[in-house]
């Protein structure tokens, strides 16, 4: 019996997905010099609109959602694992499930200071292609643009 499972997102999953996002989002910026304040997913109109356009999968443990990934076209827009579920391969499992669903090149932007996340993507074959600046809750963040070239 497998405890961890990947399945498609259902609208009823939103509260659990939002809870994972809210618990994990600020960890993305743990090594930034700026201070960040959480803007919960349910209140973040920009990210909610992007989320609504995405294909989404969730990772469950005994039916409880412990992580999710969201992509639009060839771009992975979100991959979050609940802090209490880290270190069990959930992020890698989600990434592999996304890559299995996307036939060509895959892109992702990762906070430049988040070396742990960049390491996950590098281990899957992604390479850095440059940087982009985006803002989170009004605070600018430099992201490393990464590409997995498969096509």
């Amino acid at each position: 019996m497998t405890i961890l499972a990947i399945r498609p997102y259902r609208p009823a999953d939103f509260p659990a997905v939002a809870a994972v996002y809210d618990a994990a989002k600020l960890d993305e910026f743990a090594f930034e010099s700026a201070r960040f304040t959480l803007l919960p997913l349910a209140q973040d109109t920009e990210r909610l609109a992007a989320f609504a356009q995405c294909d989404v999968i969730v990772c469950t443990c005994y039916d409880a959602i412990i992580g999710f990934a969201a992509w639009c076209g060839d771009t992975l827009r979100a991959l979050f694992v609940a802090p209490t579920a880290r270190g069990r391969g959930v992020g890698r499992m989600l990434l592999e499930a996304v890559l299995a669903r996307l036939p060509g090149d895959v892109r992702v932007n990762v906070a430049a200071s988040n070396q742990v996340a960049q390491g996950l993507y590098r281990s899957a074959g992604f390479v850095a292609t440059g940087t982009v600046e985006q803002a989170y809750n009004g605070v600018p963040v430099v992201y490393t643009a990464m590409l997995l070239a498969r096509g």
Side-chain angles (χ1 to χ4, degrees):
M1 179 167 143
T2 302
I3 320 173
L4 297 178
I6 300 288
R7 67 166 173 79
Y9 168 84
R10 300 185 288 249
D13 295 332
F14 184 77
V17 165
V20 168
Y21 176 93
D22 294 352
K25 181 61 180 175
L26 292 183
D27 292 344
E28 178 180 2
F29 309 124
F31 298 101
E32 294 287 321
S33 58
R35 296 186 68 96
F36 292 84
T37 302
L38 177 68
L39 180 56
L41 181 58
Q43 298 170 19
D44 190 335
T45 55
E46 179 183 341
R47 282 169 183 77
L48 266 179
F51 183 82
Q53 297 172 349
C54 288
D55 292 300
V56 181
I57 55 174
V58 298
C59 181
T60 61
C61 180
Y62 293 115
D63 296 325
I65 293 172
I66 59 170
F68 74 96
W71 67 94
C72 191
D74 69 351
T75 303
L76 179 58
R77 290 201 175 162
L79 194 157
F80 288 96
V81 175
T84 57
R86 292 191 186 139
R88 292 193 254 164
V90 174
R92 179 163 308 283
M93 193 172 166
L94 283 163
L95 180 57
E96 289 172 358
V98 170
L99 296 178
R101 288 162 170 79
L102 296 176
D105 296 351
V106 181
R107 302 170 194 291
V108 65
N109 292 336
V110 184
S113 64
N114 191 339
Q115 294 301 310
V116 172
Q118 285 187 42
L120 171 66
Y121 295 113
R122 278 193 305 275
S123 73
F126 284 79
V127 296
T129 60
T131 59
V132 294
E133 187 173 301
Q134 299 172 332
Y136 175 74
N137 201 9
V139 179
V141 181
V142 174
Y143 288 85
T144 299
M146 300 184 82
L147 171 69
L148 175 61
R150 300 192 295 182

